[in-house]
Amino acid sequence: MTDFHAVAQQFTDYYYATFDGNRSALAPLYAEESMLTFETNQIRGVSGILEKLTTLPFTKIKHEVATLDAQPSGPDGSIIVAVTGKLLLDEEQRPQSFSQTFHLIPAGGSYYVRNDIFRLVYG
Amino acid sequence: MTDFHAVAQQFTDYYYATFDGNRSALAPLYAEESMLTFETNQIRGVSGILEKLTTLPFTKIKHEVATLDAQPSGPDGSIIVAVTGKLLLDEEQRPQSFSQTFHLIPAGGSYYVRNDIFRLVYG
């Protein structure tokens, strides 16, 4: 049986390092049927998702994961990953809390993101 | 096509009203393969989930949903629901932020919760 916790850890390590370093390199993680909810925006498909991620109105971002949970979401090996954490934008001193849910689907020996829901959490 | 936003809204309205009013009545929402991550606890199956939910160390709880997002999670009509919000315990005056992800699977004209991941979010 797949170690879904290890997959989730490896995925989120890669995802946030890439997001913080070079957002355009996230493209291969998504597929045509992928959906992104980013705050109140809803986007479907790789090109729209990439356009959204690469035109966000900040230049520097640093994610810090506080909690990472994973569960198998079905018999096909897909995995739901739920993250909470903090992020720091540009020169801001005060981190903001966020919540993000991913649905990872196995394909070709790896996984792609079918669902991605991101929200800031206001305390 | 199913209006998955309406399903998510209806589900969360019912879930949190029932959680806040009578947690043992949540049993029919879960199935044997259901999984609950509640903070650092991981539980599988209806009876374990219900035991966890009904023995949480507070008597009064009130959830308030701040954001509710939903996406279809696959071609079978299943839905991923991501919630952020606040909850108030017993006589506390200060609400705590939470994040909760549900995976709803269609069955018999309704839905059951296959995956449920709950975390408090510390600001």
Side-chain angles (χ1 to χ4, degrees):
Chain A
M1 190 183 155
T2 308
D3 182 347
F4 53 88
H5 277 117
V7 172
Q9 181 75 59
Q10 197 174 9
F11 168 77
T12 51
D13 285 351
Y14 180 78
Y15 179 88
Y16 291 116
T18 307
F19 199 110
D20 295 356
N22 175 18
R23 295 201 289 282
S24 61
L26 293 169
L29 298 180
Y30 295 92
E32 269 325 298
E33 73 266 34
S34 300
M35 299 182 73
L36 168 67
T37 300
F38 190 90
E39 295 285 268
T40 54
N41 300 124
Q42 293 175 59
I43 302 133
R44 187 176 193 125
V46 181
S47 60
I49 289 171
L50 257 286
E51 189 190 344
K52 179 70 187 171
L53 294 179
T54 53
T55 57
L56 291 168
F58 49 80
T59 47
K60 282 205 299 186
I61 182 167
K62 178 86 186 90
H63 289 82
E64 196 170 300
V65 171
T67 67
L68 171 60
D69 296 298
Q71 293 181 0
S73 66
D76 65 347
S78 56
I79 302 172
I80 287 180
V81 181
V83 178
T84 72
K86 290 179 192 254
L87 55 83
L88 203 56
L89 293 181
D90 293 325
E91 307 308 323
E92 287 177 18
Q93 299 298 310
R94 221 190 134 153
Q96 300 179 68
S97 295
F98 73 91
S99 165
Q100 192 159 13
T101 300
F102 300 100
H103 190 205
L104 305 182
I105 310 295
S110 185
Y111 294 84
Y112 72 93
V113 178
R114 186 185 180 107
N115 303 94
D116 179 351
I117 301 176
F118 173 92
R119 281 283 187 172
L120 292 173
V121 179
Y122 296 98
Chain B
M1 190 184 159
T2 308
D3 182 346
F4 53 88
H5 278 116
V7 172
Q9 180 74 60
Q10 195 174 10
F11 168 77
T12 50
D13 285 351
Y14 180 79
Y15 179 88
Y16 291 116
T18 307
F19 199 109
D20 295 355
N22 175 18
R23 295 200 290 280
S24 61
L26 293 170
L29 298 181
Y30 294 93
E32 269 327 298
E33 75 265 33
S34 299
M35 302 184 71
L36 169 67
T37 299
F38 190 92
E39 293 286 270
T40 56
N41 300 124
Q42 293 176 59
I43 303 134
R44 188 176 193 124
V46 181
S47 61
I49 289 171
L50 258 284
E51 188 189 344
K52 179 68 186 171
L53 294 180
T54 54
T55 57
L56 291 169
F58 50 79
T59 46
K60 281 203 302 185
I61 182 168
K62 176 87 185 91
H63 289 81
E64 195 171 302
V65 172
T67 67
L68 169 60
D69 296 299
Q71 294 181 359
S73 66
D76 66 346
S78 57
I79 301 172
I80 287 182
V81 181
V83 179
T84 73
K86 291 179 188 252
L87 56 82
L88 203 55
L89 292 180
D90 293 328
E91 307 306 323
E92 286 176 21
Q93 298 298 310
R94 223 192 132 152
Q96 300 179 67
S97 294
F98 73 92
S99 166
Q100 192 159 16
T101 300
F102 300 99
H103 190 204
L104 306 183
I105 310 294
S110 185
Y111 293 83
Y112 72 92
V113 178
R114 185 184 182 109
N115 303 93
D116 180 351
I117 301 177
F118 173 93
R119 282 281 187 172
L120 292 172
V121 179
Y122 297 98

mmCIF file of all heavy atoms in Angstrom, chain B residues 16-54:
data_model
loop_
_atom_site.group_PDB
_atom_site.id
_atom_site.type_symbol
_atom_site.label_atom_id
_atom_site.label_comp_id
_atom_site.label_asym_id
_atom_site.label_seq_id
_atom_site.Cartn_x
_atom_site.Cartn_y
_atom_site.Cartn_z
ATOM 1 N N TYR B 16 -22.805 21.416 10.602
ATOM 2 C CA TYR B 16 -22.429 22.238 11.760
ATOM 3 C C TYR B 16 -23.607 22.461 12.712
ATOM 4 O O TYR B 16 -23.420 22.527 13.927
ATOM 5 C CB TYR B 16 -21.795 23.559 11.310
ATOM 6 C CG TYR B 16 -20.435 23.333 10.672
ATOM 7 C CD1 TYR B 16 -20.196 23.624 9.342
ATOM 8 C CD2 TYR B 16 -19.393 22.787 11.404
ATOM 9 C CE1 TYR B 16 -18.951 23.392 8.759
ATOM 10 C CE2 TYR B 16 -18.145 22.538 10.831
ATOM 11 C CZ TYR B 16 -17.941 22.846 9.510
ATOM 12 O OH TYR B 16 -16.717 22.599 8.941
ATOM 13 N N ALA B 17 -24.822 22.563 12.167
ATOM 14 C CA ALA B 17 -25.983 22.677 13.059
ATOM 15 C C ALA B 17 -26.111 21.409 13.906
ATOM 16 O O ALA B 17 -26.384 21.474 15.122
ATOM 17 C CB ALA B 17 -27.263 22.900 12.246
ATOM 18 N N THR B 18 -25.875 20.247 13.298
ATOM 19 C CA THR B 18 -25.974 18.977 14.022
ATOM 20 C C THR B 18 -24.807 18.828 14.988
ATOM 21 O O THR B 18 -24.981 18.389 16.132
ATOM 22 C CB THR B 18 -26.015 17.797 13.026
ATOM 23 O OG1 THR B 18 -27.051 18.046 12.082
ATOM 24 C CG2 THR B 18 -26.283 16.487 13.741
ATOM 25 N N PHE B 19 -23.603 19.192 14.562
ATOM 26 C CA PHE B 19 -22.432 19.130 15.445
ATOM 27 C C PHE B 19 -22.674 19.984 16.682
ATOM 28 O O PHE B 19 -22.383 19.566 17.805
ATOM 29 C CB PHE B 19 -21.194 19.635 14.687
ATOM 30 C CG PHE B 19 -19.884 19.216 15.287
ATOM 31 C CD1 PHE B 19 -19.083 18.276 14.655
ATOM 32 C CD2 PHE B 19 -19.446 19.749 16.495
ATOM 33 C CE1 PHE B 19 -17.868 17.874 15.209
ATOM 34 C CE2 PHE B 19 -18.231 19.348 17.050
ATOM 35 C CZ PHE B 19 -17.452 18.416 16.415
ATOM 36 N N ASP B 20 -23.210 21.186 16.479
ATOM 37 C CA ASP B 20 -23.396 22.111 17.589
ATOM 38 C C ASP B 20 -24.588 21.725 18.462
ATOM 39 O O ASP B 20 -24.654 22.116 19.631
ATOM 40 C CB ASP B 20 -23.586 23.541 17.059
ATOM 41 C CG ASP B 20 -22.326 24.068 16.349
ATOM 42 O OD1 ASP B 20 -21.296 23.368 16.364
ATOM 43 O OD2 ASP B 20 -22.392 25.170 15.786
ATOM 44 N N GLY B 21 -25.542 20.958 17.886
ATOM 45 C CA GLY B 21 -26.763 20.647 18.617
ATOM 46 C C GLY B 21 -26.779 19.269 19.234
ATOM 47 O O GLY B 21 -27.233 19.092 20.369
ATOM 48 N N ASN B 22 -26.312 18.258 18.487
ATOM 49 C CA ASN B 22 -26.428 16.872 18.936
ATOM 50 C C ASN B 22 -25.461 16.011 18.138
ATOM 51 O O ASN B 22 -25.824 15.415 17.124
ATOM 52 C CB ASN B 22 -27.870 16.388 18.733
ATOM 53 C CG ASN B 22 -28.017 14.925 19.080
ATOM 54 O OD1 ASN B 22 -27.173 14.337 19.777
ATOM 55 N ND2 ASN B 22 -29.091 14.321 18.581
ATOM 56 N N ARG B 23 -24.205 15.945 18.621
ATOM 57 C CA ARG B 23 -23.146 15.321 17.818
ATOM 58 C C ARG B 23 -23.417 13.865 17.469
ATOM 59 O O ARG B 23 -22.978 13.381 16.415
ATOM 60 C CB ARG B 23 -21.795 15.437 18.536
ATOM 61 C CG ARG B 23 -21.330 16.883 18.668
ATOM 62 C CD ARG B 23 -19.848 16.992 18.913
ATOM 63 N NE ARG B 23 -19.404 16.543 20.223
ATOM 64 C CZ ARG B 23 -19.483 17.256 21.337
ATOM 65 N NH1 ARG B 23 -20.051 18.451 21.330
ATOM 66 N NH2 ARG B 23 -19.025 16.779 22.469
ATOM 67 N N SER B 24 -24.143 13.139 18.339
ATOM 68 C CA SER B 24 -24.367 11.721 18.041
ATOM 69 C C SER B 24 -25.239 11.536 16.792
ATOM 70 O O SER B 24 -25.197 10.482 16.150
ATOM 71 C CB SER B 24 -24.992 11.008 19.238
ATOM 72 O OG SER B 24 -26.240 11.584 19.541
ATOM 73 N N ALA B 25 -25.984 12.574 16.422
ATOM 74 C CA ALA B 25 -26.827 12.487 15.224
ATOM 75 C C ALA B 25 -26.024 12.622 13.934
ATOM 76 O O ALA B 25 -26.584 12.562 12.844
ATOM 77 C CB ALA B 25 -27.934 13.552 15.281
ATOM 78 N N LEU B 26 -24.686 12.783 14.054
ATOM 79 C CA LEU B 26 -23.848 12.837 12.848
ATOM 80 C C LEU B 26 -23.580 11.443 12.269
ATOM 81 O O LEU B 26 -23.112 11.329 11.128
ATOM 82 C CB LEU B 26 -22.499 13.509 13.167
ATOM 83 C CG LEU B 26 -22.548 15.003 13.523
ATOM 84 C CD1 LEU B 26 -21.192 15.467 14.060
ATOM 85 C CD2 LEU B 26 -22.946 15.834 12.318
ATOM 86 N N ALA B 27 -23.868 10.389 13.012
ATOM 87 C CA ALA B 27 -23.539 9.018 12.589
ATOM 88 C C ALA B 27 -23.960 8.689 11.165
ATOM 89 O O ALA B 27 -23.156 8.135 10.398
ATOM 90 C CB ALA B 27 -24.126 8.005 13.570
ATOM 91 N N PRO B 28 -25.186 9.014 10.753
ATOM 92 C CA PRO B 28 -25.595 8.613 9.399
ATOM 93 C C PRO B 28 -24.797 9.270 8.282
ATOM 94 O O PRO B 28 -24.903 8.854 7.127
ATOM 95 C CB PRO B 28 -27.071 9.046 9.329
ATOM 96 C CG PRO B 28 -27.502 9.220 10.745
ATOM 97 C CD PRO B 28 -26.282 9.645 11.507
ATOM 98 N N LEU B 29 -24.015 10.306 8.606
ATOM 99 C CA LEU B 29 -23.210 10.966 7.560
ATOM 100 C C LEU B 29 -21.958 10.180 7.209
ATOM 101 O O LEU B 29 -21.317 10.452 6.196
ATOM 102 C CB LEU B 29 -22.805 12.373 8.010
ATOM 103 C CG LEU B 29 -23.952 13.353 8.270
ATOM 104 C CD1 LEU B 29 -23.391 14.709 8.686
ATOM 105 C CD2 LEU B 29 -24.810 13.515 7.014
ATOM 106 N N TYR B 30 -21.570 9.234 8.065
ATOM 107 C CA TYR B 30 -20.322 8.494 7.858
ATOM 108 C C TYR B 30 -20.608 7.048 7.454
ATOM 109 O O TYR B 30 -21.697 6.529 7.681
ATOM 110 C CB TYR B 30 -19.486 8.531 9.134
ATOM 111 C CG TYR B 30 -18.999 9.921 9.500
ATOM 112 C CD1 TYR B 30 -19.725 10.729 10.366
ATOM 113 C CD2 TYR B 30 -17.821 10.441 8.958
ATOM 114 C CE1 TYR B 30 -19.302 12.021 10.699
ATOM 115 C CE2 TYR B 30 -17.384 11.720 9.281
ATOM 116 C CZ TYR B 30 -18.124 12.497 10.151
ATOM 117 O OH TYR B 30 -17.689 13.769 10.458
ATOM 118 N N ALA B 31 -19.597 6.397 6.866
ATOM 119 C CA ALA B 31 -19.706 4.995 6.465
ATOM 120 C C ALA B 31 -18.513 4.233 7.032
ATOM 121 O O ALA B 31 -17.620 4.821 7.636
ATOM 122 C CB ALA B 31 -19.739 4.889 4.943
ATOM 123 N N GLU B 32 -18.497 2.926 6.828
ATOM 124 C CA GLU B 32 -17.411 2.105 7.407
ATOM 125 C C GLU B 32 -16.033 2.511 6.905
ATOM 126 O O GLU B 32 -15.052 2.437 7.624
ATOM 127 C CB GLU B 32 -17.668 0.620 7.158
ATOM 128 C CG GLU B 32 -18.438 -0.047 8.266
ATOM 129 C CD GLU B 32 -18.141 0.524 9.654
ATOM 130 O OE1 GLU B 32 -16.987 0.447 10.106
ATOM 131 O OE2 GLU B 32 -19.067 1.060 10.302
ATOM 132 N N GLU B 33 -15.930 2.944 5.638
ATOM 133 C CA GLU B 33 -14.613 3.330 5.112
ATOM 134 C C GLU B 33 -14.274 4.790 5.372
ATOM 135 O O GLU B 33 -13.215 5.266 4.941
ATOM 136 C CB GLU B 33 -14.509 3.017 3.622
ATOM 137 C CG GLU B 33 -15.280 3.973 2.725
ATOM 138 C CD GLU B 33 -16.655 3.435 2.389
ATOM 139 O OE1 GLU B 33 -17.248 2.746 3.255
ATOM 140 O OE2 GLU B 33 -17.135 3.701 1.272
ATOM 141 N N SER B 34 -15.152 5.501 6.088
ATOM 142 C CA SER B 34 -14.892 6.913 6.377
ATOM 143 C C SER B 34 -13.669 7.075 7.264
ATOM 144 O O SER B 34 -13.403 6.248 8.137
ATOM 145 C CB SER B 34 -16.102 7.533 7.096
ATOM 146 O OG SER B 34 -17.252 7.468 6.283
ATOM 147 N N MET B 35 -12.938 8.153 7.031
ATOM 148 C CA MET B 35 -11.771 8.463 7.837
ATOM 149 C C MET B 35 -11.910 9.866 8.408
ATOM 150 O O MET B 35 -12.337 10.785 7.706
ATOM 151 C CB MET B 35 -10.513 8.386 6.999
ATOM 152 C CG MET B 35 -10.304 7.024 6.360
ATOM 153 S SD MET B 35 -8.723 6.963 5.461
ATOM 154 C CE MET B 35 -7.575 6.966 6.833
ATOM 155 N N LEU B 36 -11.539 10.003 9.668
ATOM 156 C CA LEU B 36 -11.533 11.311 10.322
ATOM 157 C C LEU B 36 -10.135 11.601 10.842
ATOM 158 O O LEU B 36 -9.549 10.778 11.554
ATOM 159 C CB LEU B 36 -12.517 11.324 11.505
ATOM 160 C CG LEU B 36 -12.427 12.540 12.442
ATOM 161 C CD1 LEU B 36 -12.862 13.833 11.743
ATOM 162 C CD2 LEU B 36 -13.287 12.312 13.696
ATOM 163 N N THR B 37 -9.596 12.760 10.441
ATOM 164 C CA THR B 37 -8.415 13.286 11.121
ATOM 165 C C THR B 37 -8.908 14.459 11.947
ATOM 166 O O THR B 37 -9.449 15.429 11.396
ATOM 167 C CB THR B 37 -7.348 13.755 10.117
ATOM 168 O OG1 THR B 37 -6.939 12.645 9.309
ATOM 169 C CG2 THR B 37 -6.126 14.305 10.843
ATOM 170 N N PHE B 38 -8.777 14.330 13.270
ATOM 171 C CA PHE B 38 -9.228 15.400 14.161
ATOM 172 C C PHE B 38 -8.014 15.843 14.962
ATOM 173 O O PHE B 38 -7.556 15.107 15.836
ATOM 174 C CB PHE B 38 -10.350 14.896 15.082
ATOM 175 C CG PHE B 38 -11.008 16.016 15.847
ATOM 176 C CD1 PHE B 38 -12.124 16.651 15.330
ATOM 177 C CD2 PHE B 38 -10.487 16.447 17.065
ATOM 178 C CE1 PHE B 38 -12.721 17.701 16.017
ATOM 179 C CE2 PHE B 38 -11.076 17.492 17.749
ATOM 180 C CZ PHE B 38 -12.188 18.127 17.233
ATOM 181 N N GLU B 39 -7.466 16.998 14.597
ATOM 182 C CA GLU B 39 -6.168 17.406 15.119
ATOM 183 C C GLU B 39 -5.167 16.272 14.854
ATOM 184 O O GLU B 39 -5.033 15.875 13.709
ATOM 185 C CB GLU B 39 -6.283 17.808 16.596
ATOM 186 C CG GLU B 39 -7.119 19.074 16.794
ATOM 187 C CD GLU B 39 -6.370 20.340 16.372
ATOM 188 O OE1 GLU B 39 -5.689 20.948 17.207
ATOM 189 O OE2 GLU B 39 -6.490 20.714 15.204
ATOM 190 N N THR B 40 -4.510 15.731 15.848
ATOM 191 C CA THR B 40 -3.510 14.694 15.564
ATOM 192 C C THR B 40 -4.075 13.272 15.610
ATOM 193 O O THR B 40 -3.333 12.312 15.425
ATOM 194 C CB THR B 40 -2.340 14.786 16.564
ATOM 195 O OG1 THR B 40 -2.877 14.687 17.874
ATOM 196 C CG2 THR B 40 -1.610 16.114 16.437
ATOM 197 N N ASN B 41 -5.377 13.129 15.832
ATOM 198 C CA ASN B 41 -5.973 11.797 15.901
ATOM 199 C C ASN B 41 -6.463 11.334 14.540
ATOM 200 O O ASN B 41 -7.075 12.116 13.810
ATOM 201 C CB ASN B 41 -7.175 11.803 16.853
ATOM 202 C CG ASN B 41 -6.795 12.207 18.258
ATOM 203 O OD1 ASN B 41 -7.367 13.159 18.802
ATOM 204 N ND2 ASN B 41 -5.820 11.533 18.851
ATOM 205 N N GLN B 42 -6.236 10.066 14.224
ATOM 206 C CA GLN B 42 -6.747 9.497 12.978
ATOM 207 C C GLN B 42 -7.618 8.299 13.286
ATOM 208 O O GLN B 42 -7.187 7.376 13.975
ATOM 209 C CB GLN B 42 -5.589 9.080 12.078
ATOM 210 C CG GLN B 42 -4.801 10.284 11.593
ATOM 211 C CD GLN B 42 -3.589 9.875 10.785
ATOM 212 O OE1 GLN B 42 -3.719 9.209 9.780
ATOM 213 N NE2 GLN B 42 -2.424 10.240 11.263
ATOM 214 N N ILE B 43 -8.845 8.353 12.781
ATOM 215 C CA ILE B 43 -9.837 7.339 13.120
ATOM 216 C C ILE B 43 -10.511 6.864 11.845
ATOM 217 O O ILE B 43 -10.765 7.666 10.932
ATOM 218 C CB ILE B 43 -10.895 7.952 14.064
ATOM 219 C CG1 ILE B 43 -10.222 8.518 15.312
ATOM 220 C CG2 ILE B 43 -11.950 6.939 14.427
ATOM 221 C CD1 ILE B 43 -10.698 9.877 15.688
ATOM 222 N N ARG B 44 -10.816 5.570 11.806
ATOM 223 C CA ARG B 44 -11.503 5.013 10.642
ATOM 224 C C ARG B 44 -12.762 4.273 11.097
ATOM 225 O O ARG B 44 -12.715 3.548 12.084
ATOM 226 C CB ARG B 44 -10.580 4.034 9.918
ATOM 227 C CG ARG B 44 -11.155 3.560 8.608
ATOM 228 C CD ARG B 44 -10.178 2.667 7.861
ATOM 229 N NE ARG B 44 -10.625 2.480 6.503
ATOM 230 C CZ ARG B 44 -9.907 2.762 5.421
ATOM 231 N NH1 ARG B 44 -8.682 3.203 5.525
ATOM 232 N NH2 ARG B 44 -10.409 2.580 4.228
ATOM 233 N N GLY B 45 -13.875 4.473 10.382
ATOM 234 C CA GLY B 45 -15.109 3.751 10.657
ATOM 235 C C GLY B 45 -16.076 4.559 11.503
ATOM 236 O O GLY B 45 -15.683 5.385 12.324
ATOM 237 N N VAL B 46 -17.368 4.260 11.301
ATOM 238 C CA VAL B 46 -18.424 5.051 11.942
ATOM 239 C C VAL B 46 -18.320 5.032 13.450
ATOM 240 O O VAL B 46 -18.388 6.083 14.105
ATOM 241 C CB VAL B 46 -19.820 4.507 11.548
ATOM 242 C CG1 VAL B 46 -20.908 5.348 12.191
ATOM 243 C CG2 VAL B 46 -19.988 4.502 10.048
ATOM 244 N N SER B 47 -18.135 3.851 14.041
ATOM 245 C CA SER B 47 -18.222 3.787 15.510
ATOM 246 C C SER B 47 -17.077 4.548 16.162
ATOM 247 O O SER B 47 -17.279 5.286 17.134
ATOM 248 C CB SER B 47 -18.279 2.334 15.988
ATOM 249 O OG SER B 47 -17.103 1.665 15.602
ATOM 250 N N GLY B 48 -15.861 4.404 15.613
ATOM 251 C CA GLY B 48 -14.725 5.144 16.161
ATOM 252 C C GLY B 48 -14.881 6.643 15.988
ATOM 253 O O GLY B 48 -14.558 7.422 16.904
ATOM 254 N N ILE B 49 -15.376 7.031 14.835
ATOM 255 C CA ILE B 49 -15.571 8.467 14.565
ATOM 256 C C ILE B 49 -16.599 9.045 15.531
ATOM 257 O O ILE B 49 -16.392 10.085 16.149
ATOM 258 C CB ILE B 49 -15.987 8.689 13.091
ATOM 259 C CG1 ILE B 49 -14.791 8.403 12.170
ATOM 260 C CG2 ILE B 49 -16.511 10.098 12.875
ATOM 261 C CD1 ILE B 49 -15.107 8.371 10.680
ATOM 262 N N LEU B 50 -17.699 8.313 15.701
ATOM 263 C CA LEU B 50 -18.740 8.812 16.603
ATOM 264 C C LEU B 50 -18.265 8.866 18.043
ATOM 265 O O LEU B 50 -18.577 9.802 18.779
ATOM 266 C CB LEU B 50 -20.006 7.964 16.484
ATOM 267 C CG LEU B 50 -21.075 8.630 15.653
ATOM 268 C CD1 LEU B 50 -21.767 9.753 16.423
ATOM 269 C CD2 LEU B 50 -20.506 9.184 14.341
ATOM 270 N N GLU B 51 -17.487 7.872 18.435
ATOM 271 C CA GLU B 51 -16.964 7.888 19.806
ATOM 272 C C GLU B 51 -16.088 9.117 20.000
ATOM 273 O O GLU B 51 -16.163 9.802 21.016
ATOM 274 C CB GLU B 51 -16.157 6.614 20.084
ATOM 275 C CG GLU B 51 -15.775 6.499 21.547
ATOM 276 C CD GLU B 51 -14.795 5.367 21.813
ATOM 277 O OE1 GLU B 51 -14.651 4.503 20.926
ATOM 278 O OE2 GLU B 51 -14.171 5.388 22.897
ATOM 279 N N LYS B 52 -15.245 9.405 18.997
ATOM 280 C CA LYS B 52 -14.381 10.592 19.093
ATOM 281 C C LYS B 52 -15.216 11.862 19.191
ATOM 282 O O LYS B 52 -14.992 12.702 20.071
ATOM 283 C CB LYS B 52 -13.471 10.652 17.855
ATOM 284 C CG LYS B 52 -12.543 11.845 17.805
ATOM 285 C CD LYS B 52 -11.501 11.758 18.893
ATOM 286 C CE LYS B 52 -10.644 12.995 18.991
ATOM 287 N NZ LYS B 52 -9.789 12.929 20.196
ATOM 288 N N LEU B 53 -16.179 11.989 18.291
ATOM 289 C CA LEU B 53 -16.934 13.247 18.229
ATOM 290 C C LEU B 53 -17.780 13.482 19.472
ATOM 291 O O LEU B 53 -17.971 14.621 19.895
ATOM 292 C CB LEU B 53 -17.822 13.273 16.972
ATOM 293 C CG LEU B 53 -17.072 13.295 15.632
ATOM 294 C CD1 LEU B 53 -18.066 13.309 14.475
ATOM 295 C CD2 LEU B 53 -16.134 14.487 15.529
ATOM 296 N N THR B 54 -18.256 12.395 20.052
ATOM 297 C CA THR B 54 -19.161 12.568 21.200
ATOM 298 C C THR B 54 -18.421 12.627 22.528
ATOM 299 O O THR B 54 -19.044 12.868 23.558
ATOM 300 C CB THR B 54 -20.213 11.432 21.252
ATOM 301 O OG1 THR B 54 -19.528 10.172 21.230
ATOM 302 C CG2 THR B 54 -21.156 11.502 20.064
#
